Amino acid sequence: MERDVRALVGDPRWTTLPADVRAQVMAQRMLETPDGSRWLFGAHARWHRFGRADGRWHLSAPPAHPEVRSAARLLPPPPVIPPLPLPAGPDFVYDRGSTQAFVGPDVPNGITDGIRALLQAHRGLRRDDFPLPSGGLREMFARDVTSPVAAVWATVMWCAYAPAFDGNEVLLSMFGEFLARPLPGDDWVRWLPPTSLDALVSLYAERMGAGAGEAGLRLVRLMRDTAVVLRADTRFRPRAEALLAMAEPVLAQPWLDRHALAGGAVRQAWLSRCPPHLIGATLTEVSSGEHFRHSLYDLVEALAYTALRGVDPRAAAASLLAADLDGRFAGSPAAADAVNRLYAWMDEESRHWLYGALADPSHPLRGYWPVDDALPPALVPPDRRAAAALLGAAYATGLAWCGLTGTAPPASGFAASSAVVPFLIHQRDDPFPAAGPGDFSDLPPDHGRLRAWQ
């Protein structure tokens, strides 16, 4: 069915069909699994499950077990077609990249070398010409650090699918001398918070608002050049491509954001330039709920290997989500409000699993919770690639529900993603940071910031 729908949507005539005709065509492609669930491969090139209770379609990763999938059957089209998650066309060509975190498989040397070169070329600029505006970036960096350094960092962090990095990652260590305080996490993993597009574009907007147009354009060019380097890694590629699409028009038409700058709407102006086939990369900015749904879908896919062990990956994902919520709130009055916000973005089966795992200490799904910071045997990844994908998807899901509920991410990581770390820390690509210009390894031993970083 996936191949059939992809071929259908890939036909140039698809976007020219009236909406009611497209709905009729898609209604002929609904499937039913043996448990009576109805499924449709629709918008975003992802599966949707029909909710019997509310009569709506919900984004939901499909059953992964081969026997269940092969037993699915076509449903006759209903006499009255309910609203369907119709593919738009561009959403089917969106490249989702990789869900792997930056623990285990390191960032390739070509990327770290490229970022180091950009950092070295812009680190000596005058602070009077490139000050750091107030906000989170100013608090992160030392007082004498300039906005170009922050622009490189913010671009790296915004483009990262899941900013959990190996404690020895060279891409982070080259920023060590610029930071005002240690990054969250420990020597094994740095659990970094997400960087917003607003924080990134504020560096450019501040210079333009101060009448320093050349400096503002130089910052945009630096963001562009950083994204060009990053897109060689699939963990950065989708958002790097989206950032390029938003930033490059400014370099070709420097006056483009004039009205947005005057109205304080630069972020919105940049988002409006993101082409339809890359909108998925900006969900963190436009809809925290949609971003959570897609992150949870990624987590289910990362757990697909458990299906052959008799585990439903969707139930396992709901269980790990419950473990993270339980570990974060631990009976706090804020827990109920946070969970209720998540329910609205989940299909009814996942909601049922999540509620059961949180409410009942003896619920079977609690058997998938990490114990003593370790995954149960049924969820142990089969190899390093699967472990890195699970860690990344679990961490991205944690950040997504934090964003949706207004919760601060824990500095020590979430229960689920932290439990994956032991499967990766002894398989590092590079056990020690490589020395080089801009690394903290070439600083004197008594350097104050080096001590803070370590």
Side-chain angles (χ1 to χ4, degrees):
M1 185 55 69
E2 290 182 9
R3 288 194 299 268
D4 177 63
V5 175
R6 286 185 183 279
L8 188 70
V9 179
D11 190 311
R13 294 170 293 180
W14 174 256
T15 56
T16 67
L17 295 175
D20 59 336
V21 175
R22 281 185 282 171
Q24 291 175 3
V25 171
M26 291 301 296
Q28 298 171 11
R29 286 158 172 79
M30 283 190 282
L31 299 179
E32 185 178 60
T33 45
D35 65 352
S37 299
R38 296 182 178 184
W39 299 87
L40 185 73
F41 189 64
H44 313 293
R46 289 192 145 175
W47 285 92
H48 301 255
R49 185 175 184 269
F50 187 71
R52 300 172 185 173
D54 58 14
R56 295 166 47 216
W57 290 92
H58 297 268
L59 187 74
S60 179
H65 198 284
E67 290 185 4
V68 178
R69 295 174 68 88
S70 62
R73 293 292 179 264
L74 275 173
L75 278 172
V80 178
I81 301 175
L84 301 177
L86 297 178
D91 55 335
F92 262 56
V93 296
Y94 173 53
D95 174 12
R96 296 189 177 278
S98 169
T99 68
Q100 288 187 344
F102 301 91
V103 183
D106 293 321
V107 177
N109 291 336
I111 291 180
T112 56
D113 291 345
I115 298 299
R116 181 186 289 111
L118 291 172
L119 202 57
Q120 287 296 101
H122 293 83
R123 62 180 294 170
L125 299 177
R126 284 169 24 96
R127 192 171 186 275
D128 290 343
D129 296 330
F130 294 93
L132 267 177
S134 59
L137 290 176
R138 176 187 282 184
E139 296 170 3
M140 172 174 289
F141 292 101
R143 286 181 298 175
D144 58 345
V145 172
T146 57
S147 56
V149 172
V152 176
W153 170 271
T155 301
V156 171
M157 293 301 125
W158 190 82
C159 292
Y161 169 81
F165 287 83
D166 190 315
N168 281 341
E169 178 55 62
V170 178
L171 189 63
L172 293 191
S173 68
M174 68 177 71
F175 288 93
E177 61 178 293
F178 303 110
L179 299 174
R181 57 179 181 270
L183 294 172
D186 53 33
D187 290 341
W188 295 115
V189 181
R190 301 290 180 180
W191 304 106
L192 302 183
T195 296
S196 68
L197 182 64
D198 189 57
L200 183 59
V201 300
S202 68
L203 302 173
Y204 150 71
E206 186 278 332
R207 287 291 76 199
M208 300 300 286
E214 287 299 321
L217 291 176
R218 183 165 183 175
L219 287 171
V220 175
R221 191 174 298 109
L222 179 57
M223 297 172 195
R224 187 272 312 272
D225 293 345
T226 304
V228 168
V229 173
L230 294 173
R231 67 180 175 182
D233 189 319
T234 55
R235 295 168 290 185
F236 292 113
R237 182 179 299 155
R239 293 185 184 178
E241 295 285 1
L243 184 59
L244 288 171
M246 294 186 286
E248 286 189 321
V250 178
L251 300 177
Q253 305 172 69
W255 61 89
L256 196 59
D257 288 334
R258 181 180 57 189
H259 296 298
L261 286 161
V266 179
R267 172 183 171 275
Q268 290 81 352
W270 280 46
L271 287 171
S272 70
R273 293 196 289 266
C274 187
H277 71 283
L278 292 173
I279 290 295
T282 64
L283 283 180
T284 53
E285 306 293 334
V286 300
S287 175
S288 56
E290 287 289 343
H291 176 56
F292 166 70
R293 292 205 303 173
H294 282 276
S295 298
L296 186 59
Y297 195 112
D298 290 341
L299 178 58
V300 176
E301 289 192 324
L303 287 162
Y305 60 85
T306 64
L308 296 179
R309 303 173 184 176
V311 177
D312 188 329
R314 295 172 298 152
S319 175
L320 292 180
L321 174 60
D324 282 353
L325 288 163
D326 185 76
R328 180 64 179 85
F329 292 108
S332 164
D337 181 60
V339 174
N340 285 334
R341 292 192 187 186
L342 301 184
Y343 283 155
W345 297 95
M346 301 172 68
D347 68 83
E348 57 187 294
E349 191 169 34
S350 296
R351 288 197 299 267
H352 175 75
W353 283 326
L354 178 62
Y355 174 81
L358 285 172
D360 183 3
S362 62
H363 196 282
L365 285 184
R366 288 210 178 188
Y368 299 140
W369 282 20
V371 177
D372 296 329
D373 298 325
L375 288 175
L379 302 190
V380 171
D383 52 46
R384 186 173 76 154
R385 179 180 295 274
L390 177 57
L391 192 154
Y395 189 60
T397 301
L399 294 180
W401 69 253
C402 282
L404 178 56
T405 60
T407 305
S412 57
F414 300 94
S417 47
S418 296
V420 188
V421 174
F423 301 102
L424 290 165
I425 57 177
H426 298 301
Q427 301 185 46
R428 294 175 169 183
D429 289 344
D430 58 336
F432 301 100
D439 284 355
F440 63 73
S441 52
D442 64 357
L443 296 175
D446 61 347
H447 196 287
R449 292 184 204 152
L450 174 58
R451 289 200 300 271
W453 168 259
Q454 292 175 325

